[in-house]
mmCIF file of all heavy atoms in Angstrom:
data_model
loop_
_atom_site.group_PDB
_atom_site.id
_atom_site.type_symbol
_atom_site.label_atom_id
_atom_site.label_comp_id
_atom_site.label_asym_id
_atom_site.label_seq_id
_atom_site.Cartn_x
_atom_site.Cartn_y
_atom_site.Cartn_z
ATOM 1 N N PHE K 156 175.095 -37.887 78.765
ATOM 2 C CA PHE K 156 173.937 -37.250 79.387
ATOM 3 C C PHE K 156 174.153 -37.194 80.901
ATOM 4 O O PHE K 156 174.386 -38.231 81.537
ATOM 5 C CB PHE K 156 172.663 -38.022 79.053
ATOM 6 C CG PHE K 156 172.320 -38.006 77.593
ATOM 7 C CD1 PHE K 156 172.821 -38.979 76.735
ATOM 8 C CD2 PHE K 156 171.522 -37.000 77.062
ATOM 9 C CE1 PHE K 156 172.537 -38.955 75.377
ATOM 10 C CE2 PHE K 156 171.228 -36.963 75.703
ATOM 11 C CZ PHE K 156 171.730 -37.951 74.863
ATOM 12 N N ILE K 157 174.102 -35.986 81.452
ATOM 13 C CA ILE K 157 174.274 -35.802 82.897
ATOM 14 C C ILE K 157 172.889 -35.656 83.513
ATOM 15 O O ILE K 157 172.103 -34.802 83.110
ATOM 16 C CB ILE K 157 175.142 -34.571 83.193
ATOM 17 C CG1 ILE K 157 176.527 -34.732 82.546
ATOM 18 C CG2 ILE K 157 175.286 -34.366 84.702
ATOM 19 C CD1 ILE K 157 177.404 -33.499 82.661
ATOM 20 N N LEU K 158 172.603 -36.495 84.488
ATOM 21 C CA LEU K 158 171.285 -36.546 85.108
ATOM 22 C C LEU K 158 171.383 -36.306 86.607
ATOM 23 O O LEU K 158 172.464 -36.383 87.192
ATOM 24 C CB LEU K 158 170.641 -37.910 84.849
ATOM 25 C CG LEU K 158 170.557 -38.390 83.393
ATOM 26 C CD1 LEU K 158 170.061 -39.824 83.334
ATOM 27 C CD2 LEU K 158 169.660 -37.470 82.583
ATOM 28 N N GLY K 159 170.242 -36.060 87.233
ATOM 29 C CA GLY K 159 170.196 -35.861 88.679
ATOM 30 C C GLY K 159 169.124 -34.840 89.032
ATOM 31 O O GLY K 159 168.668 -34.082 88.170
ATOM 32 N N MET K 160 168.722 -34.819 90.273
ATOM 33 C CA MET K 160 167.787 -33.804 90.728
ATOM 34 C C MET K 160 168.436 -32.418 90.651
ATOM 35 O O MET K 160 169.664 -32.291 90.708
ATOM 36 C CB MET K 160 167.372 -34.079 92.181
ATOM 37 C CG MET K 160 166.312 -35.139 92.342
ATOM 38 S SD MET K 160 164.650 -34.568 91.867
ATOM 39 C CE MET K 160 164.210 -33.510 93.265
ATOM 40 N N PRO K 161 167.637 -31.349 90.518
ATOM 41 C CA PRO K 161 168.218 -30.009 90.602
ATOM 42 C C PRO K 161 169.006 -29.848 91.895
ATOM 43 O O PRO K 161 168.624 -30.387 92.938
ATOM 44 C CB PRO K 161 166.980 -29.091 90.606
ATOM 45 C CG PRO K 161 165.906 -29.888 89.950
ATOM 46 C CD PRO K 161 166.164 -31.313 90.329
ATOM 47 N N ARG K 162 170.121 -29.127 91.821
ATOM 48 C CA ARG K 162 170.972 -28.828 92.982
ATOM 49 C C ARG K 162 171.652 -30.073 93.555
ATOM 50 O O ARG K 162 172.013 -30.125 94.732
ATOM 51 C CB ARG K 162 170.180 -28.127 94.090
ATOM 52 C CG ARG K 162 169.381 -26.932 93.636
ATOM 53 C CD ARG K 162 170.259 -25.823 93.098
ATOM 54 N NE ARG K 162 171.051 -25.194 94.145
ATOM 55 C CZ ARG K 162 172.103 -24.404 93.935
ATOM 56 N NH1 ARG K 162 172.505 -24.165 92.704
ATOM 57 N NH2 ARG K 162 172.740 -23.863 94.944
ATOM 58 N N SER K 163 171.834 -31.101 92.705
ATOM 59 C CA SER K 163 172.478 -32.327 93.179
ATOM 60 C C SER K 163 173.965 -32.372 92.837
ATOM 61 O O SER K 163 174.675 -33.281 93.269
ATOM 62 C CB SER K 163 171.788 -33.559 92.577
ATOM 63 O OG SER K 163 171.909 -33.554 91.161
ATOM 64 N N GLY K 164 174.453 -31.424 92.037
ATOM 65 C CA GLY K 164 175.857 -31.403 91.641
ATOM 66 C C GLY K 164 176.060 -31.640 90.157
ATOM 67 O O GLY K 164 177.195 -31.862 89.712
ATOM 68 N N THR K 165 174.983 -31.574 89.381
ATOM 69 C CA THR K 165 175.099 -31.848 87.944
ATOM 70 C C THR K 165 175.925 -30.788 87.212
ATOM 71 O O THR K 165 176.686 -31.114 86.305
ATOM 72 C CB THR K 165 173.704 -31.959 87.296
ATOM 73 O OG1 THR K 165 172.942 -30.780 87.596
ATOM 74 C CG2 THR K 165 172.965 -33.176 87.838
ATOM 75 N N THR K 166 175.777 -29.518 87.600
ATOM 76 C CA THR K 166 176.562 -28.464 86.956
ATOM 77 C C THR K 166 178.041 -28.634 87.279
ATOM 78 O O THR K 166 178.906 -28.398 86.421
ATOM 79 C CB THR K 166 176.081 -27.069 87.398
ATOM 80 O OG1 THR K 166 174.693 -26.931 87.092
ATOM 81 C CG2 THR K 166 176.855 -25.972 86.684
ATOM 82 N N LEU K 167 178.348 -29.060 88.490
ATOM 83 C CA LEU K 167 179.736 -29.329 88.879
ATOM 84 C C LEU K 167 180.332 -30.406 87.981
ATOM 85 O O LEU K 167 181.442 -30.248 87.449
ATOM 86 C CB LEU K 167 179.790 -29.755 90.344
ATOM 87 C CG LEU K 167 181.165 -30.190 90.872
ATOM 88 C CD1 LEU K 167 182.146 -29.025 90.823
ATOM 89 C CD2 LEU K 167 181.046 -30.735 92.287
ATOM 90 N N VAL K 168 179.615 -31.501 87.794
ATOM 91 C CA VAL K 168 180.109 -32.591 86.947
ATOM 92 C C VAL K 168 180.263 -32.117 85.502
ATOM 93 O O VAL K 168 181.241 -32.444 84.822
ATOM 94 C CB VAL K 168 179.168 -33.818 87.032
ATOM 95 C CG1 VAL K 168 179.523 -34.862 85.987
ATOM 96 C CG2 VAL K 168 179.220 -34.432 88.422
ATOM 97 N N GLU K 169 179.312 -31.330 85.034
ATOM 98 C CA GLU K 169 179.395 -30.785 83.676
ATOM 99 C C GLU K 169 180.665 -29.950 83.512
ATOM 100 O O GLU K 169 181.383 -30.087 82.512
ATOM 101 C CB GLU K 169 178.166 -29.917 83.397
ATOM 102 C CG GLU K 169 178.201 -29.223 82.042
ATOM 103 C CD GLU K 169 177.126 -28.156 81.914
ATOM 104 O OE1 GLU K 169 176.989 -27.325 82.849
ATOM 105 O OE2 GLU K 169 176.427 -28.146 80.893
ATOM 106 N N GLN K 170 180.956 -29.088 84.483
ATOM 107 C CA GLN K 170 182.141 -28.235 84.411
ATOM 108 C C GLN K 170 183.427 -29.050 84.465
ATOM 109 O O GLN K 170 184.393 -28.760 83.764
ATOM 110 C CB GLN K 170 182.120 -27.214 85.549
ATOM 111 C CG GLN K 170 181.154 -26.073 85.334
ATOM 112 C CD GLN K 170 181.575 -25.191 84.170
ATOM 113 O OE1 GLN K 170 181.044 -25.321 83.072
ATOM 114 N NE2 GLN K 170 182.524 -24.309 84.390
ATOM 115 N N ILE K 171 183.436 -30.062 85.311
ATOM 116 C CA ILE K 171 184.627 -30.924 85.428
ATOM 117 C C ILE K 171 184.895 -31.619 84.097
ATOM 118 O O ILE K 171 186.023 -31.596 83.582
ATOM 119 C CB ILE K 171 184.426 -31.965 86.548
ATOM 120 C CG1 ILE K 171 184.413 -31.273 87.921
ATOM 121 C CG2 ILE K 171 185.525 -33.031 86.513
ATOM 122 C CD1 ILE K 171 183.940 -32.167 89.057
ATOM 123 N N LEU K 172 183.869 -32.231 83.535
ATOM 124 C CA LEU K 172 184.051 -32.948 82.271
ATOM 125 C C LEU K 172 184.399 -31.983 81.139
ATOM 126 O O LEU K 172 185.188 -32.311 80.248
ATOM 127 C CB LEU K 172 182.793 -33.735 81.923
ATOM 128 C CG LEU K 172 182.469 -34.925 82.837
ATOM 129 C CD1 LEU K 172 181.163 -35.587 82.412
ATOM 130 C CD2 LEU K 172 183.608 -35.944 82.827
ATOM 131 N N GLY K 173 183.820 -30.777 81.172
ATOM 132 C CA GLY K 173 184.078 -29.798 80.129
ATOM 133 C C GLY K 173 185.510 -29.298 80.093
ATOM 134 O O GLY K 173 185.939 -28.686 79.102
ATOM 135 N N ALA K 174 186.268 -29.548 81.162
ATOM 136 C CA ALA K 174 187.681 -29.161 81.179
ATOM 137 C C ALA K 174 188.535 -30.124 80.363
ATOM 138 O O ALA K 174 189.704 -29.842 80.072
ATOM 139 C CB ALA K 174 188.187 -29.117 82.629
ATOM 140 N N HIS K 175 187.957 -31.267 79.978
ATOM 141 C CA HIS K 175 188.670 -32.247 79.150
ATOM 142 C C HIS K 175 188.737 -31.737 77.713
ATOM 143 O O HIS K 175 187.784 -31.153 77.203
ATOM 144 C CB HIS K 175 187.951 -33.597 79.206
ATOM 145 C CG HIS K 175 188.783 -34.752 78.748
ATOM 146 N ND1 HIS K 175 189.049 -34.982 77.420
ATOM 147 C CD2 HIS K 175 189.422 -35.743 79.436
ATOM 148 C CE1 HIS K 175 189.796 -36.066 77.303
ATOM 149 N NE2 HIS K 175 190.042 -36.546 78.518
ATOM 150 N N SER K 176 189.837 -31.999 77.042
ATOM 151 C CA SER K 176 190.068 -31.422 75.714
ATOM 152 C C SER K 176 189.100 -31.908 74.645
ATOM 153 O O SER K 176 188.887 -31.209 73.641
ATOM 154 C CB SER K 176 191.501 -31.717 75.260
ATOM 155 O OG SER K 176 191.712 -33.123 75.154
ATOM 156 N N VAL K 177 188.488 -33.078 74.806
ATOM 157 C CA VAL K 177 187.600 -33.593 73.751
ATOM 158 C C VAL K 177 186.126 -33.403 74.076
ATOM 159 O O VAL K 177 185.262 -33.798 73.304
ATOM 160 C CB VAL K 177 187.864 -35.099 73.460
ATOM 161 C CG1 VAL K 177 189.311 -35.333 73.102
ATOM 162 C CG2 VAL K 177 187.432 -35.985 74.621
ATOM 163 N N ILE K 178 185.834 -32.797 75.250
ATOM 164 C CA ILE K 178 184.441 -32.684 75.684
ATOM 165 C C ILE K 178 183.950 -31.242 75.598
ATOM 166 O O ILE K 178 184.612 -30.313 76.059
ATOM 167 C CB ILE K 178 184.273 -33.206 77.131
ATOM 168 C CG1 ILE K 178 184.625 -34.681 77.214
ATOM 169 C CG2 ILE K 178 182.833 -32.989 77.613
ATOM 170 C CD1 ILE K 178 184.509 -35.271 78.614
ATOM 171 N N GLY K 179 182.778 -31.065 75.025
ATOM 172 C CA GLY K 179 182.104 -29.775 75.007
ATOM 173 C C GLY K 179 180.825 -29.854 75.806
ATOM 174 O O GLY K 179 180.230 -30.927 75.934
#
């Protein structure tokens, strides 16, 4: 679960983790 205030960088973290082969 990725948490944080809006515009805090949560989408960035989601995209970074999503580049991993086992993460959707």
Side-chain angles (χ1 to χ4, degrees):
F156 295 89
I157 301 174
L158 307 173
M160 280 285 285
R162 309 297 291 165
S163 62
T165 54
T166 303
L167 175 64
V168 170
E169 176 192 48
Q170 284 293 100
I171 291 168
L172 292 178
H175 197 285
S176 62
V177 304
I178 298 179

